[in-house]
Amino acid sequence: MAARRRFEADHHTASEAEGYQAKVEAVAAAQGEGRLDDSLPVVDLFAMVLRITESWLDAPPALLAVSGEQPRSPARLAQHRAALIEAVRRITTPGPPPHAG
């Protein structure tokens, strides 16, 4: 189904759109309250975060092999999860980038 959506860009269900609408509204509210960076449009930010969270599972098998570990092992997934959390924190934290100077 996901591959089909990539080829048929305008294909979606009403319930899928409603689910995203609620999430986008929550992100917009957090941006409005200053809890999330508001320098990026809300839909763009949400789309980027979605893709970041899918990055490990969508990565080419040859790239996953470079880590030298089993890509789906609990330890490697935990390591990647920590990296995801840090990446999302960095792009959503209000204010200047952590290492800006």
Side-chain angles (χ1 to χ4, degrees), residues 76-98:
R76 188 59 187 99
L77 290 174
Q79 183 182 22
H80 185 67
R81 183 177 188 276
L84 291 173
I85 290 168
E86 179 61 15
V88 170
R89 184 193 65 74
R90 288 183 185 197
I91 66 169
T92 60
T93 299

Side-chain angles (χ1 to χ4, degrees), residues 31 36-41 91:
Q31 284 181 321
L36 293 178
D37 184 279
D38 65 355
S39 64
L40 296 172
I91 66 169

